[in-house]
Amino acid sequence: MTTEINMKEILLDILDNLSGEKEGDLERFKFSLANASYGEKAPIPKGRLQKADTRIKLVDLLCEYYKEHGAVNVAILVLERINLRDSADKLKEATKKALGPQQTPDRSANAYRVKYREHIKNKYSTIKDMNARLGENVTLNSRYTKLIIVNEHRHKKQREHEIMALGRRHAEILTKHASPITIGDLFESDRDGQLPQIVVLQGAAGIGKTLTAKKIMLDWANEELYQSRFDYVFYINCRKINFVREQRSVEDLILENCPDQNAPTKEILMNPEKLLFIIDGFDELRFSFNQPTSNQCSDPCEKQPVEIILSSLFRKEVLLKSYLIITTRPIALEKLEQCLKDERYAEILGFSENEREEYFYKFFENEEQARKAFNFVEDNEMLFTMCFVPLVCWIICTVLKQQMEAGEDLAQTSSTITGVYMNYLFSLLKGHSSNSEKQVQGNLNGLCSLAADGIWRKNILFEEEDVKKHGLDKPDSLFLNENMFQKGIDCEFVYSFIHLSFQEFFAALFYVLEKEETVENSETAIQALEKLFEECGKSRNYLMLTMRFLFGLLNKKRMEEMEKKLSCKISPKIKNHLLTWVKEKLSLSLLNYDELSSLEMTIFYFEYFHCFYEIQETEFVQSAMDHFTELKLNGRTFTKMDQIVLQFCIKNCCKLESVYLDTCLSLTEDLNEDSPGPSKRPRWAEHQQELYPSPIYSLCEALEDPNCKIKKLSLKSCEITDAACENLATVLRTNQSLTELEVRFGDLDDTIVQLLCKGLTHPNCKLQRLSLTFGDLTDACCGDLAAFLRTTQNLTELELGQRKLGDAGVKLLCEGLKQNRTLQSLKLWLSSRYGCSITATGCGDLAAFLKTSQSLTELDLNCNQSLGDAGVRLLCEGLTHPNCKLETLVLTGCGLTAACCEDLSSVLITSQTLTFLNLGLNSLEDSGVQLLCEGLKHPNCKLQTLNLWKCNLTDAVCGDLAAVLRTNQSLTKLVLNQNKLGDARVRLLCEGLTHPNCKVQTLDLWKCDLTDACCGDLAAVLRTNQSLTELILSENKLGDAGVRLLCEGLTHPNCKLQSLGLRKASTWKFGVTSTGCEDLAAVLRTSQSLTEVDLYSNDLGNAGVQLLCEGLKHPNCKLQKLYLGYQSVTEETLAELDAVKDTKPDLVIQIWNH
């Protein structure tokens, strides 16, 4: 109070002097005061200044508005601004005399900072390990190991499948971001020169966010970090904030960091641009932060509920110029983003390889123990991968240290997450063996019950009454953290598991422990095991780690170990329940494969593959995966752990025959020579050079297993490195079952093929089909392939879809093929966007091969645009040779015209084997097809399939084609799509189709400029033709009127049609509507042959889909596949479709709701 009076008297003296020195100075002072902002305070409202019409009232107003010290500082600021520097100096001197030299407003905060730093040093210099006993501390700097931090933010979708214990996602980002930052860089300017005021530091649970926050506090206190930037750094623990019941102000939060209650908080708050607040654990806050702006607090001294105070800090409503670091798990980022503006994101990825090694050396005081432990872990890829996550690294170090001190063999340590957690559990319980067996079991049951209850409630913090409810009268501090929080004038204790993953471990243990038959506790939220299965199927993130632990705990050896060490019995029934459930789950997933995206299926499979890896029981896994014959994985970036898991599952999938990897990348180890640590290059990199550079090493290791029965391996858009090719070559030399290898896209070049040929030319190689497409192969690799073709006794199909092979490459291949007696299919196609292709020169070599080959039945030269008429003429010389056995010829997009059609017609007349001819995407025009028809009508013609899509045809060819249909006895498939045939002449085509000699089974008229005018003729075909089973009329303007006419034919008893295509072009406004659906529903009720209908992109609406449902439900309906594509329908309509599928499980309905 004395200080307040002194301040007011000093201010009053100065104002008295102003009025006496010069007329107008006091008015100038008031005018400037009305425009002066100080700290976070807005200027004093002019109305209030006008009312302060005396000097005494003005002093009172200043002290009330700015507080005493603030009023003095504002007065000094204003005096200097109006050039009354003598008065400003007098005010400073008078204040100094009144308060003493160390307590003046401009020096008290600085003086207190020395005391505050010492307090922070003492508070944060030591940490406690999770299992520390009384008095056991570790200095933070002796244990802290640098973490990889990148200043990139990932959105929720990319973080959806985070696995906290494995560090999968942060390892993925590590490969994409080559420039990690340090904690000292968090507030550096970005490329645009912008300095952030808010940094969100995110990371998975256990990744080191809290330790990093404490390290920042300690380094600042030691004057090693942010010295020129921040005068004060304050730490706010969100877990504790949850239990603050009373109102708080920002000033209160600052005081809670200080060593005493005498901190000069007002002065500290006067320089907000020098303050840093570290908000640790945002994801643990229970507040919604949906408060309206009007509820926010702008005064740092104003008391409000803590959620208002924090929200105001986040939204910069209070202390606008202050700085924030907010740590959070990614799961809460979306919630946090609503509160922030112009924030910067950084992410902690965990330890690099070298830093993991450094951590081991820091953890073990004995260097020999550290070396031994680290060598053991780095030789076990599973454990080494898990050490990306600091928490898991600590667990493994803890367990290994205890085993070493007990003289145990490290090789006995389990290699799964469950094994590590169980060892940790046993080691803690063993260290506290004073409890009786009954007490241990009671505490364990209580912990498991508490954990499961928390998992179902999504609760990680437990009050004392929660703990007691589960029979833990004295909470088990071995596995629960005890936290003390203020509550009014008293204190309360709350509890949490050491880490969320431990809670999930104990929750899984709850379900496997055998229980006495007791009445269920209605006060808990724990659901039955069946409900856990059900919920786990719905939510991948929520319960999947619990499910992994559940699988791991049911391993037979672990069950025995649990019983031996803890006298706990595992329920014998649960494993059978689990096996039944997972087999059903995976079986259903295969049945519904078409209804889920390939990426969703890949995620689904890997979640369960990780579970299988946890149980580590061959018999169980083989039984669970017994129905798998093929495995398709799409769009996944494999971590090393994923590769190990995939290898394990493939080895135990006895009936697996095909593996498809599409757009799958693999994380390789990025060896950083400059990383600190005991050694700059990890030992595994020196001794296992072949292991990690290859992204498919583990997969190849599974394929090399003698029991592997996989016949087909497809790698599409996957990383194919030199090392990967060497792995594949090893597979080809050893695997006796692999008959198909497909490599599409990726980094496919000559060197890789040359490496691959080392395996292909080995006598043990049994490959029958080799496909290498969409790469950069040139003629340089064709010599190696030719050597393979000369020696192989098994290869029947070779596909090279490359852009640079050219004629030289073809010549080399043909040299090799001269001695080959097995090749049946040769595909040398190019993508049409590339210009370099096979020309007439190459066709000469191919023609020579056709004259001699006794085995080749298929030749595909798709999209070789430079081939042209001259090339076809040369090919035809080979095709007409008596030795030629070719059955299939594909010349799509080869730059052909009518000039080559006479030669092709001669082939049709003379060849006794050619049954398939694809001439699509060539400008043959009507004259060319008319020449072809001469050959097609010849009695010797054996052609079954003719594809003339997009050949620039008009209605003029319909008569010639009709003549072919009346005479040709072999043609069963005619493709005419994307030619402008029109309605008028299609009638002629229909006359041919109705002729008794016509044997056509498939007619493709997709996008042929047809309307409802031709549908009567097509209906007549449906009524009379006994061979037509597939009719494609998609993207024609038939409308409901055309569909009605078609349905007259479809409902006729003689109609044999099985598949009908009526897709609509997405840009057209007309198509089939609900009106047409009524006619189609009648067809579904009566047709005994129709099994597939394609209505993709037609706007059917709710009414149309419901009409189709009525037809589908009819007992006579034989439909097996219905394609609806994107439709705008209600949930009720979708439910009706589901009801139909329930009654007809074999029916596939493909629909995506807008």
Side-chain angles (χ1 to χ4, degrees):
M1 194 67 176
T2 305
T3 302
E4 180 180 342
I5 294 171
N6 287 342
M7 290 296 107
K8 286 188 175 183
E9 288 176 351
I10 291 167
L11 282 170
L12 191 60
D13 285 344
I14 292 296
L15 294 184
D16 282 339
N17 291 336
L18 285 185
S19 59
E21 287 180 1
K22 185 178 179 182
E23 187 177 352
D25 282 347
L26 183 59
E27 291 305 315
R28 286 170 59 213
F29 179 85
K30 289 178 69 175
F31 177 80
S32 184
L33 192 60
N35 297 283
S37 296
Y38 185 76
E40 294 298 311
K41 278 285 192 180
I44 299 175
K46 293 181 179 179
R48 296 188 66 182
L49 279 172
Q50 289 174 356
K51 291 179 181 178
D53 50 7
T54 66
R55 293 188 303 281
I56 293 176
K57 288 182 180 180
L58 183 57
V59 169
D60 286 339
L61 176 58
L62 276 169
C63 293
E64 176 192 346
Y65 196 79
Y66 290 111
K67 308 303 180 188
E68 290 72 36
H69 290 307
V72 170
N73 281 325
V74 170
I76 292 170
L77 180 71
V78 172
L79 289 170
E80 289 176 343
R81 185 174 294 172
I82 60 176
N83 293 319
L84 295 178
R85 300 193 179 278
D86 288 343
S87 296
D89 292 340
K90 288 177 183 177
L91 181 53
K92 288 179 184 178
E93 188 62 30
T95 304
K96 182 176 179 180
K97 289 179 181 178
L99 297 179
Q102 298 302 319
Q103 294 299 315
T104 53
D106 62 336
R107 295 191 62 187
S108 59
N110 291 337
Y112 190 81
R113 188 162 64 246
V114 176
K115 183 178 183 179
Y116 181 73
R117 281 189 194 280
E118 286 302 314
H119 171 66
I120 296 301
K121 284 182 194 178
N122 293 332
K123 185 174 180 179
Y124 291 97
S125 61
T126 60
I127 56 173
K128 279 185 177 290
D129 276 334
M130 296 179 191
N131 62 340
R133 290 163 292 194
L134 191 64
E136 290 182 336
N137 296 315
V138 178
T139 59
L140 189 150
N141 281 333
S142 71
R143 176 67 61 79
Y144 181 82
T145 304
K146 188 182 76 172
L147 293 158
I148 301 169
I149 305 173
V150 294
N151 56 353
E152 293 284 342
H153 168 57
R154 292 302 183 96
H155 293 289
K156 187 178 178 182
K157 288 293 183 182
Q158 295 166 296
R159 303 190 314 269
E160 188 180 6
H161 309 292
E162 170 194 353
I163 302 175
M164 71 180 72
L166 296 178
R168 178 180 65 189
R169 185 169 50 81
H170 64 263
E172 175 185 327
I173 297 174
L174 177 61
T175 64
K176 294 181 180 179
H177 301 277
S179 303
I181 62 172
T182 67
I183 54 179
D185 299 326
L186 293 176
F187 291 101
E188 292 300 317
S189 57
D190 59 19
R191 294 174 184 174
D192 300 324
Q194 297 297 312
L195 288 170
Q197 278 191 275
I198 302 174
V199 174
V200 176
L201 189 59
Q202 63 159 312
I207 209 71
K209 300 183 294 297
T210 293
L211 197 62
T212 299
K214 292 180 177 180
K215 175 66 172 170
I216 292 172
M217 293 294 294
L218 182 62
D219 283 357
W220 174 82
N222 286 327
E223 300 184 59
E224 296 171 0
L225 184 68
Y226 302 147
Q227 288 314 292
S228 61
R229 192 178 296 278
F230 302 121
D231 288 345
Y232 282 87
V233 182
F234 304 110
Y235 179 84
I236 298 174
N237 186 309
C238 291
R239 182 175 289 187
K240 292 182 179 180
I241 285 288
N242 277 325
F243 291 88
V244 173
R245 301 290 188 262
E246 313 80 35
Q247 293 190 345
R248 290 280 201 278
S249 65
V250 176
E251 184 180 25
D252 293 332
L253 296 179
I254 289 174
L255 277 172
E256 289 174 7
N257 278 264
C258 296
D260 53 51
Q261 297 297 304
N262 297 322
T265 53
K266 301 294 189 299
E267 288 80 4
I268 291 171
L269 289 168
M270 287 177 184
N271 296 293
E273 71 281 358
K274 287 291 188 177
L275 305 183
L276 170 63
F277 293 87
I278 300 177
I279 318 292
D280 187 25
F282 174 84
D283 52 284
E284 297 189 47
L285 290 173
R286 294 179 176 178
F287 314 131
S288 67
F289 294 103
N290 288 330
Q291 302 92 352
T293 307
S294 58
N295 283 4
Q296 303 301 307
C297 169
S298 60
D299 185 352
C301 300
E302 180 184 349
K303 292 183 184 293
Q304 289 279 4
V306 286
E307 59 265 36
I308 300 292
I309 297 300
L310 288 179
S311 178
S312 301
L313 273 173
F314 296 152
R315 299 176 193 275
K316 288 295 175 185
E317 297 293 336
V318 66
L319 299 181
L320 174 64
K321 297 180 181 179
S322 66
Y323 291 78
L324 302 179
I325 292 177
I326 305 169
T327 74
T328 181
R329 287 178 65 192
I331 198 170
L333 278 177
E334 195 170 295
K335 176 181 174 183
L336 179 57
E337 286 170 354
Q338 300 171 4
C339 307
L340 305 181
K341 184 180 180 182
D342 299 328
E343 66 279 0
R344 174 179 292 177
Y345 285 87
E347 181 166 10
I348 299 176
L349 306 181
F351 292 144
S352 71
E353 291 79 1
N354 289 325
E355 285 153 354
R356 281 178 280 173
E357 184 176 5
E358 181 183 342
Y359 183 90
F360 271 74
Y361 278 82
K362 284 187 172 184
F363 183 92
F364 290 89
E365 297 175 359
N366 182 300
E367 187 171 327
E368 176 60 24
Q369 281 188 338
R371 184 192 59 78
K372 187 176 179 180
F374 183 73
N375 288 349
F376 167 74
V377 170
E378 69 173 352
D379 287 336
N380 184 318
E381 188 181 31
M382 170 69 181
L383 295 182
F384 195 64
T385 301
M386 289 166 66
C387 284
F388 263 118
V389 182
L391 173 72
V392 180
C393 202
W394 176 82
I395 292 171
I396 292 172
C397 285
T398 300
V399 173
L400 293 183
K401 185 176 183 181
Q402 291 171 357
Q403 285 190 319
M404 291 169 71
E405 290 173 348
E408 296 178 14
D409 183 3
L410 294 185
Q412 300 302 313
T413 300
S414 302
S415 60
T416 64
I417 304 173
T418 311
V420 170
Y421 278 57
M422 278 186 64
N423 275 328
Y424 178 62
L425 167 66
F426 295 149
S427 64
L428 280 190
L429 290 176
K430 187 176 180 181
H432 294 75
S433 56
S434 59
N435 289 341
S436 68
E437 184 179 295
K438 190 173 182 180
Q439 284 178 316
V440 170
Q441 290 181 4
N443 281 342
L444 188 60
N445 288 331
L447 279 170
C448 293
S449 177
L450 177 69
D453 191 29
I455 289 295
W456 283 105
R457 294 182 190 274
K458 299 183 182 179
N459 186 27
I460 60 172
L461 296 171
F462 305 94
E463 298 192 14
E464 194 162 1
E465 62 183 45
D466 297 325
V467 174
K468 288 182 177 179
K469 184 172 65 178
H470 293 274
L472 294 166
D473 291 331
K474 294 182 179 179
D476 192 335
S477 58
L478 291 177
F479 301 101
L480 292 177
N481 275 342
E482 185 179 69
N483 306 280
M484 183 175 69
F485 302 111
Q486 291 181 340
K487 186 177 183 180
I489 60 172
D490 208 343
C491 292
E492 67 171 351
F493 294 94
V494 296
Y495 304 89
S496 66
F497 283 85
I498 294 170
H499 184 264
L500 178 58
S501 58
F502 282 98
Q503 184 175 338
E504 291 171 301
F505 171 77
F506 282 112
L509 191 55
F510 170 84
Y511 283 102
V512 302
L513 290 177
E514 195 171 68
K515 303 173 185 66
E516 297 179 4
E517 294 295 328
T518 56
V519 179
E520 290 189 12
N521 187 348
S522 60
E523 295 182 2
T524 74
I526 300 173
Q527 301 290 318
L529 181 64
E530 292 73 19
K531 186 68 174 176
L532 177 67
F533 291 160
E534 181 185 333
E535 290 298 316
C536 192
K538 294 177 183 177
S539 174
R540 293 188 290 268
N541 249 351
Y542 175 35
L543 291 167
M544 224 40 225
L545 188 56
T546 303
M547 185 59 72
R548 281 197 200 181
F549 282 127
L550 185 66
F551 274 80
L553 289 166
L554 291 174
N555 172 275
K556 185 177 180 181
K557 290 182 179 178
R558 293 197 196 107
M559 290 164 65
E560 292 171 353
E561 195 174 16
M562 187 79 71
E563 185 168 354
K564 179 181 177 182
K565 294 189 175 182
L566 302 178
S567 300
C568 295
K569 288 190 176 181
I570 307 297
S571 173
K573 299 177 183 178
I574 190 170
K575 186 182 283 190
N576 290 332
H577 290 332
L578 188 64
L579 180 59
T580 302
W581 171 76
V582 77
K583 288 181 75 169
E584 181 182 342
K585 190 74 180 172
L586 291 173
S587 297
L588 286 172
S589 73
L590 292 175
L591 288 174
N592 298 326
Y593 192 93
D594 292 338
E595 297 181 21
L596 296 172
S597 73
S598 54
L599 179 58
E600 286 177 318
M601 286 304 301
T602 300
I603 293 167
F604 174 84
Y605 284 149
F606 262 93
E607 284 171 347
Y608 288 96
F609 289 173
H610 276 279
C611 290
F612 294 155
Y613 186 80
E614 282 299 307
I615 200 167
Q616 287 286 309
E617 283 191 4
T618 299
E619 186 178 346
F620 183 98
V621 178
Q622 287 180 352
S623 179
M625 300 187 70
D626 186 58
H627 51 283
F628 272 88
T629 58
E630 69 174 25
L631 179 61
K632 295 181 179 179
L633 303 174
N634 179 272
R636 187 176 183 88
T637 299
F638 294 132
T639 62
K640 288 187 297 181
M641 192 65 241
D642 286 338
Q643 293 183 56
I644 291 296
V645 167
L646 182 60
Q647 174 191 339
F648 174 80
C649 290
I650 287 177
K651 282 183 177 180
N652 288 289
C653 195
C654 301
K655 295 182 180 178
L656 189 64
E657 295 184 352
S658 304
V659 175
Y660 301 85
L661 302 185
D662 188 347
T663 323
C664 290
L665 306 177
S666 299
L667 299 182
T668 55
E669 298 301 323
D670 179 19
L671 304 181
N672 184 354
E673 296 291 344
D674 299 323
S675 296
S679 65
K680 287 191 174 182
R681 186 176 179 82
R683 189 172 65 83
W684 59 261
E686 297 168 4
H687 297 288
Q688 302 180 29
Q689 292 269 1
E690 299 299 318
L691 183 55
Y692 297 112
S694 169
I696 57 171
Y697 174 84
S698 296
L699 174 61
C700 289
E701 194 173 74
L703 292 169
E704 291 170 36
D705 190 280
N707 297 321
C708 179
K709 299 295 186 291
I710 291 175
K711 297 178 181 179
K712 179 174 182 178
L713 175 62
S714 174
L715 304 173
K716 181 180 178 183
S717 297
C718 297
E719 297 169 310
I720 304 297
T721 61
D722 290 359
C725 251
E726 290 183 357
N727 294 142
L728 285 172
T730 303
V731 170
L732 293 169
R733 286 193 296 267
T734 57
N735 188 298
Q736 299 291 296
S737 62
L738 190 68
T739 58
E740 292 188 53
L741 176 62
E742 182 180 55
V743 182
R744 291 169 63 83
F745 298 98
D747 303 317
L748 196 58
D749 58 23
D750 294 330
T751 304
I752 284 176
V753 172
Q754 288 160 0
L755 290 169
L756 202 59
C757 284
K758 293 179 181 178
L760 291 167
T761 54
H762 195 276
N764 289 340
C765 178
K766 298 295 188 288
L767 207 67
Q768 296 175 16
R769 179 177 179 270
L770 176 63
S771 175
L772 305 172
T773 58
F774 289 104
D776 288 320
L777 302 189
T778 70
D779 57 354
C781 73
C782 290
D784 298 281
L785 287 170
F788 164 53
L789 292 171
R790 280 192 292 268
T791 58
T792 180
Q793 299 298 308
N794 302 294
L795 194 73
T796 59
E797 182 177 341
L798 176 63
E799 181 179 21
L800 299 173
Q802 304 299 329
R803 53 178 170 174
K804 297 180 181 178
L805 289 183
D807 295 327
V810 170
K811 186 176 185 67
L812 288 169
L813 289 174
C814 288
E815 289 296 321
L817 286 168
K818 285 179 182 178
Q819 300 177 37
N820 185 283
R821 297 293 181 267
T822 61
L823 196 72
Q824 298 173 16
S825 175
L826 178 62
K827 298 178 180 180
L828 302 173
W829 53 269
L830 296 187
S831 174
S832 60
R833 64 181 180 273
Y834 301 128
C836 181
S837 63
I838 302 169
T839 69
T841 304
C843 288
D845 295 299
L846 287 170
F849 170 57
L850 290 172
K851 292 174 184 176
T852 58
S853 175
Q854 296 294 299
S855 61
L856 194 72
T857 59
E858 180 179 10
L859 178 62
D860 185 345
L861 300 174
N862 179 26
C863 287
N864 283 280
Q865 293 174 315
S866 301
L867 194 147
D869 298 326
V872 168
R873 184 170 292 112
L874 290 170
L875 279 178
C876 287
E877 292 178 10
L879 289 165
T880 53
H881 194 279
N883 290 339
C884 181
K885 299 294 188 290
L886 205 70
E887 298 173 3
T888 297
L889 178 61
V890 178
L891 296 172
T892 309
C894 287
L896 310 184
T897 69
C900 72
C901 289
E902 188 172 356
D903 297 293
L904 288 170
S905 184
S906 297
V907 172
L908 295 175
I909 295 170
T910 57
S911 174
Q912 296 300 293
T913 58
L914 192 68
T915 58
F916 184 101
L917 179 60
N918 190 339
L919 298 172
L921 208 61
N922 289 296
S923 187
L924 304 182
E925 298 182 335
D926 299 333
S927 58
V929 172
Q930 286 162 356
L931 288 170
L932 284 176
C933 287
E934 293 303 315
L936 289 165
K937 289 186 288 186
H938 196 279
N940 289 340
C941 180
K942 301 294 188 291
L943 202 70
Q944 296 173 11
T945 298
L946 177 62
N947 193 327
L948 297 172
W949 72 280
K950 212 168 186 179
C951 286
N952 290 341
L953 307 183
T954 69
D955 58 356
V957 299
C958 289
D960 300 281
L961 289 171
V964 170
L965 296 175
R966 285 193 294 269
T967 57
N968 189 297
Q969 297 291 296
S970 62
L971 195 67
T972 58
K973 183 172 183 177
L974 180 59
V975 178
L976 298 170
N977 69 49
Q978 299 184 68
N979 289 294
K980 297 181 179 181
L981 303 183
D983 295 322
R985 293 297 186 94
V986 167
R987 180 176 290 108
L988 292 175
L989 197 62
C990 290
E991 289 176 5
L993 289 164
T994 56
H995 195 278
N997 289 339
C998 180
K999 298 296 186 290
V1000 169
Q1001 298 171 10
T1002 297
L1003 178 62
D1004 186 349
L1005 298 174
W1006 184 308
K1007 204 172 184 180
C1008 286
D1009 285 357
L1010 306 182
T1011 70
D1012 58 340
C1014 71
C1015 290
D1017 299 298
L1018 290 170
V1021 172
L1022 295 173
R1023 285 193 294 268
T1024 57
N1025 188 299
Q1026 296 298 290
S1027 61
L1028 191 67
T1029 58
E1030 182 178 11
L1031 178 60
I1032 302 172
L1033 298 170
S1034 298
E1035 296 196 22
N1036 286 295
K1037 302 176 182 180
L1038 307 182
D1040 292 328
V1043 169
R1044 171 161 291 182
L1045 290 169
L1046 285 174
C1047 288
E1048 291 177 6
L1050 289 165
T1051 54
H1052 195 277
N1054 290 339
C1055 180
K1056 299 297 186 289
L1057 201 72
Q1058 297 174 11
S1059 177
L1060 177 62
L1062 294 171
R1063 288 193 176 203
K1064 178 178 79 73
S1066 58
T1067 56
W1068 290 358
K1069 294 182 180 179
F1070 46 84
V1072 184
T1073 69
S1074 58
T1075 303
C1077 287
E1078 188 171 1
D1079 296 298
L1080 286 170
V1083 173
L1084 296 178
R1085 288 193 292 269
T1086 57
S1087 175
Q1088 296 299 295
S1089 61
L1090 196 65
T1091 59
E1092 182 175 336
V1093 175
D1094 186 352
L1095 293 168
Y1096 194 92
S1097 290
N1098 285 283
D1099 300 321
L1100 308 179
N1102 285 301
V1105 175
Q1106 287 168 5
L1107 284 167
L1108 291 175
C1109 285
E1110 292 301 314
L1112 291 168
K1113 287 186 285 187
H1114 197 278
N1116 291 339
C1117 179
K1118 299 296 187 291
L1119 206 70
Q1120 297 173 9
K1121 294 180 180 179
L1122 176 62
Y1123 299 101
L1124 301 176
Y1126 289 99
Q1127 299 291 335
S1128 296
V1129 294
T1130 63
E1131 291 298 324
E1132 290 76 9
T1133 301
L1134 291 174
E1136 193 166 343
L1137 282 171
D1138 289 335
V1140 171
K1141 287 191 284 186
D1142 288 340
T1143 59
K1144 296 187 175 183
D1146 295 332
L1147 177 62
V1148 175
I1149 302 176
Q1150 193 176 77
I1151 182 170
W1152 299 288
N1153 196 20
H1154 279 302

